[in-house]
Amino acid sequence: MSDASYPATRLRRTRVSGWSRAMHRETVMTPADLIWPLFVTGGSGIEEPIASLPGVSRWSVDGIAKRAKEAVELGIPCIALFPNTQPERRSDDGAEALNPDNLMCQAIRAVRDACGGDVGILTDVALDPYTSHGQDGLLDTSGYVVNDDTVAVLVDQAVNQANAGADIIAPSDMMDGRVRAIRMALEMSNHPNVQIMAYSAKYASAFYGPFRDAVGSGGLLKGDKKSYQMDPANGDEAMREIALDIAEGADSVMVKPGLAYLDIIWRAKQRFGVPVFAYQVSGEYALIEAGAASGIADREALLMEKLLAFKRAGCSGVLTYHAPVAARLLNG
Ligand code: PBG
């Protein structure tokens, strides 16, 4: 025996029985760790299943209100809303984002009516669900997404959502300086307690495909988003993004996608000690479902193990399309 501590130290000793494993468990997940992303569509009484996201549908505003009630019943504290804007309302400048009666604002009000203050409403700030080109901002003649003019529109979009009743503004656009600009506008428009969860480290990822189907921007998008979303090769740069967003007034930060970026989550938590959230994105969800459907692994075990990994890495919570399934499992 080369290790002198053997057999005094037997790490298997505490793993022998269930009670002991429960007692030594370091990470605990509860429904309060989940944020449920929901896709909004027009009309009423409508549910449209999304082919690339099996088990996920777009709901008309009345259905969104019902899902929000379900979240409350399941103990899920917060929902995240994404609109599938009607094609005729999409334009080069994404002006529909500023319409106080757009799908997003209708959904916010319907959830507030149905649930009062029992559920948090997180809204995405970026122009891609509203533009005819599927990019997150305004384009110049060369097709480049311009920064400062885009930020000016995002500010108005954020205030529009806050006026409708959003609790957390989540800028997912990756423009420079948008967190400060949005924070200032929220202060000036009498929304001092509306939070900002910044998509701080958002990567130009291959995992977003099904989401783009869900909001209807996928078919419109030409090219990629690499001039604003981060290079998956970079970790130090993510720390700079996060430091800036905190300095600009973010209440919490997000890392996106999730599982392939656990190192970024870990570094962010260790370094800044702020609330860090992960977005387990559409492609991650779809791959879990595809894996389970093909019999590679047990679906429930697979999804719970992956969600637990986010908490172990330091997350305060996870945005996941599995939120209702996971909450049901956690509630037993
Ligand atoms: C848009 C946005 C995207 C996602 C959230 N907000 C897609 C993108 O940047 O193209 C992805 C979410 C997912 O894949 O589940 N700004």
Side-chain angles (χ1 to χ4, degrees):
M1 260 297 103
S2 55
D3 181 353
S5 70
Y6 179 86
T9 303
R10 291 181 187 270
L11 287 176
R12 291 184 58 194
R13 207 174 278 136
T14 55
R15 298 176 198 148
V16 173
S17 29
W19 63 262
S20 179
R21 290 192 293 273
M23 202 169 113
H24 291 89
R25 193 157 294 138
E26 297 174 33
T27 310
V28 179
M29 180 120 201
T30 76
D33 298 315
L34 302 166
I35 299 174
W36 185 4
L38 292 164
F39 296 106
V40 192
T41 194
S44 87
I46 290 176
E47 174 182 3
E48 297 168 351
I50 301 159
S52 54
L53 279 176
V56 178
S57 294
R58 301 182 197 98
W59 301 89
S60 48
V61 167
D62 52 316
I64 293 289
K66 290 193 188 117
R67 300 289 79 70
K69 280 191 143 171
E70 204 178 321
V72 174
E73 280 153 24
L74 289 167
I76 297 170
C78 188
I79 58 166
L81 298 174
F82 300 92
N84 182 342
T85 305
Q86 305 88 315
E88 66 277 11
R89 291 182 173 269
R90 296 183 196 228
S91 58
D92 279 357
D93 62 1
E96 177 66 6
L98 311 185
N99 174 1
D101 204 29
N102 64 20
L103 279 179
M104 184 71 122
C105 294
Q106 289 179 33
I108 295 167
R109 288 192 292 266
V111 171
R112 194 58 78 212
D113 280 354
C115 302
D118 292 343
V119 71
I121 306 173
L122 179 151
T123 55
D124 204 78
V125 165
L127 297 182
D128 53 317
Y130 312 91
T131 53
S132 43
H133 45 71
Q135 294 286 359
D136 292 24
L138 305 176
L139 308 183
D140 69 11
T141 48
S142 72
Y144 179 73
V145 176
V146 294
N147 196 88
D148 300 7
D149 289 349
T150 296
V151 169
V153 182
L154 299 175
V155 162
D156 292 344
Q157 179 184 21
V159 171
N160 187 36
Q161 293 171 350
N163 286 343
D167 298 298
I168 307 179
I169 300 295
S172 73
D173 54 283
M174 290 300 280
M175 299 300 117
D176 289 323
R178 89 281 208 217
V179 172
R180 184 188 305 280
I182 291 170
R183 185 70 264 160
M184 290 305 135
L186 291 172
E187 299 297 321
M188 302 297 284
S189 57
N190 201 24
H191 296 299
N193 289 328
V194 170
Q195 303 176 28
I196 297 179
M197 182 188 291
Y199 284 76
S200 299
K202 176 171 177 180
Y203 288 87
S205 170
F207 286 98
Y208 303 150
F211 172 95
R212 293 177 188 169
D213 294 342
V215 299
S217 67
L220 304 172
L221 186 66
K222 290 179 212 67
D224 55 44
K225 300 190 177 183
K226 290 180 184 170
S227 82
Y228 46 107
Q229 298 180 350
M230 283 185 55
D231 183 338
N234 296 353
D236 289 343
E237 189 186 336
M239 297 306 110
R240 296 185 70 194
E241 284 282 6
I242 291 167
L244 274 174
D245 286 354
I246 296 167
E248 290 181 24
D251 299 284
S252 54
V253 298
M254 197 201 294
V255 174
K256 178 185 173 194
L259 205 71
Y261 298 85
L262 286 183
D263 58 324
I264 307 298
I265 293 167
W266 174 259
R267 286 175 68 179
K269 188 65 189 179
Q270 298 294 312
R271 179 137 160 199
F272 300 107
V274 298
V276 178
F277 291 83
Y279 199 145
Q280 183 187 55
V281 298
S282 56
E284 297 180 73
Y285 171 93
L287 286 174
I288 293 172
E289 289 299 314
S294 69
I296 286 172
D298 175 70
R299 175 170 177 264
E300 295 175 356
L302 198 60
L303 77 92
M304 293 311 285
E305 184 176 331
K306 289 192 177 208
L307 291 178
L308 189 68
F310 292 115
K311 283 228 69 185
R312 197 189 61 240
C315 278
S316 297
V318 189
L319 289 93
T320 174
Y321 304 97
H322 277 127
V325 180
R328 267 184 212 102
L329 290 168
L330 290 167
N331 290 330

